Amino acid sequence: MRQRVVRVALTAALVAVVLLAVPLALAIRSSLYADQRDTMERSALAGAVRVSPDYATGDPVELPKPPAGGQIGLYDPQSRLRAGSGPHPGDAPVRRALGGEAVRGHSGGDLVATVPVSHTEQVIGVVRVSSPAASVRDRVLVAWAVLLGATALALAVAVVVARRQARALAVPLEDLSRHCRAVTEGDLNARAATSSIAEIDQVARTHNEMLHSLSELLRHERDFTANASHQLRTPLTGLQLALEGGLAQDDDAGLRPVLTEALATTHRLHHTVEEVLRLSRAREVSRSAAGKIAVGQLLREAEERWHGLFARDGRRLECAARDTPTDVLVPGAPVSEVLGILLDNARVHGRGTVRVDVRDLENALAFDVSDEGAVAGEPARLFDRGHTGGGQGAGIGLALARDLAVSLGGRLALSSAHPATFTLLIPVDEDEAQGAPE
């Protein structure tokens, strides 16, 4: 890429220099020749003014000095040299000037300018001035040499600038390429650095965002695999031991408790598989759930879904919004998922009446899920993946709920150990806080 940028810049500079230098060289040549002819013509005019009409009778003529290396001479109407220096007899420019007009031309290797001398409307002579054309040509060559040197300097500067620009363009792209190679080799922590070029920085930012998304996806996949292996190992081992114990029984009466225990283990295994699969979909849920739902509708749906399950256990479920408008909008699916995890946790591990209260915190809503039980174990480890608290449950739900809360820009925490109360904080925008009519 660097060589390509240098070639393009050098080609552009060369075309520009040629388009400028060639006309300039021709203009210099024309200007120098024109200046020399003007100088010669002025000398011829100055000499013509000094010529007396009596020069043919012997009156001396004082001609001015000729140009450097040149000649000046006075010719009579018969083209004979009467004063100064010049060819014998007069050449073609002299003969043309006898016709009454100033002439510029060439003669041999000289530039020639002739001016007629008039008296009483008659041409009585011609002043001829010549200068070697080689002297003007030498000046033209010198000027062209200077122009060529300036052109070479301009091209050299263009090459230097092009190389620097090529390096400025290539280094960020080479760095991005190295980071891409590092990613292909398994280094997901590689990040492309920024540069001073906006377009390349945009590519680098997009690359980093893509890599971050890929890292998060792989992290979720690893969590899924770890949770599946961790959570399925224990119930499968228990099921295997129960079945082996049943095979060791000699009487049929001893098989019933073994099969009952195996069936209970199977139920726990089924519950574990469901929670592991729900965890694997957590990322998709948090990203795709752009739909909003009113708080009142969210509470009604949660009560309809969970009321029967609690009633079967002889427990009550109460849902209420404290001083909170029921038309405030929140992300529907993620918040419903978190509340479902907290309610299921209260049903399995809690006691007594379960309450879901919503509080208005101006720029956020607080969802409190509480029961009449107490949290056992270390509160700091409740949200660790694989932590089962009292030994029941999959140990995945609360970790999943915490991830969903973070994906919404919120937070999930244990606000009280006795009675057990979990609080979900969800930020609410001003336009969402205005709500929508139900």
Side-chain angles (χ1 to χ4, degrees), residues 44-270:
L45 287 173
V49 170
R50 299 183 181 186
V51 174
S52 169
D54 299 329
Y55 79 92
T57 60
D59 189 12
V61 178
E62 296 181 1
L63 296 175
K65 291 179 60 176
Q71 296 176 327
I72 182 171
L74 174 62
Y75 292 81
D76 61 16
Q78 288 75 36
S79 297
R80 294 175 298 188
L81 181 64
R82 304 301 297 267
S85 59
H88 300 277
D91 51 13
V94 173
R95 291 191 295 270
R96 288 175 55 193
L98 290 175
E101 61 177 346
V103 177
R104 291 183 176 184
H106 290 81
S107 179
D110 295 336
L111 299 177
V112 178
T114 57
V115 175
V117 180
S118 301
H119 179 67
T120 64
E121 298 183 357
Q122 291 184 354
V123 177
I124 62 173
V126 173
V127 176
R128 177 186 182 276
V129 178
S130 63
S131 177
S135 63
V136 182
R137 185 170 56 252
D138 292 342
R139 290 164 56 194
V140 171
L141 293 177
V142 170
W144 283 0
V146 173
L147 180 61
L148 183 61
T151 301
L153 178 61
L155 292 177
V157 172
V159 170
V160 172
V161 173
R163 289 175 64 88
R164 291 186 177 181
Q165 287 299 110
R167 182 178 182 278
L169 290 172
V171 167
L173 293 177
E174 292 170 354
D175 180 69
L176 182 59
S177 176
R178 284 194 299 271
H179 283 86
C180 290
R181 285 197 299 270
V183 172
T184 60
E185 294 172 359
D187 183 10
L188 297 182
N189 294 322
R191 292 295 184 271
T194 58
S195 65
S196 59
I197 303 173
E199 291 79 4
I200 297 180
D201 285 348
Q202 184 176 1
V203 174
R205 285 193 297 270
T206 304
H207 167 79
N208 292 339
E209 291 172 1
M210 177 193 67
L211 189 57
H212 175 73
S213 300
L214 179 61
S215 301
E216 287 297 307
L217 178 61
L218 292 178
R219 184 180 68 83
H220 279 271
E221 293 296 331
R222 285 195 298 267
D223 289 343
F224 170 73
T225 303
N227 288 326
S229 61
H230 180 273
Q231 297 306 126
L232 297 178
R233 184 183 300 114
T234 300
L236 285 175
T237 302
L239 180 60
Q240 180 182 359
L241 293 176
L243 293 176
E244 290 176 352
L247 291 176
Q249 296 289 336
D250 294 332
D251 56 335
D252 294 339
L255 288 177
R256 183 174 183 82
V258 173
L259 295 177
T260 301
E261 176 63 23
L263 180 61
T265 303
T266 303
H267 285 312
R268 288 197 299 272
L269 179 61
H270 177 71

Side-chain angles (χ1 to χ4, degrees), residues 219-220 279 282-283 285-287 289 331-339 341-342 364-367 383 385 396-414 422-428:
R219 184 180 68 83
H220 279 271
L279 174 60
R283 182 180 182 84
V285 169
S286 64
R287 284 186 175 272
V335 175
S336 177
E337 183 78 10
V338 175
L339 290 181
I341 293 173
L342 296 178
L365 292 180
F367 292 81
F383 299 98
R385 295 190 184 278
I396 300 174
L398 291 179
L400 169 61
R402 179 196 58 188
D403 288 347
L404 287 173
V406 172
S407 70
L408 296 174
R411 182 167 57 89
L412 177 63
L414 177 67
F422 290 88
T423 299
L424 170 66
L425 295 178
I426 298 297
V428 179

Side-chain angles (χ1 to χ4, degrees), residues 360-398:
D360 187 4
L361 303 179
E362 294 185 357
N363 294 328
L365 292 180
F367 292 81
D368 297 320
V369 180
S370 61
D371 60 72
E372 297 175 0
V375 175
E378 302 178 24
R381 298 188 58 199
L382 286 176
F383 299 98
D384 292 344
R385 295 190 184 278
H387 178 67
T388 59
Q392 298 176 350
I396 300 174
L398 291 179

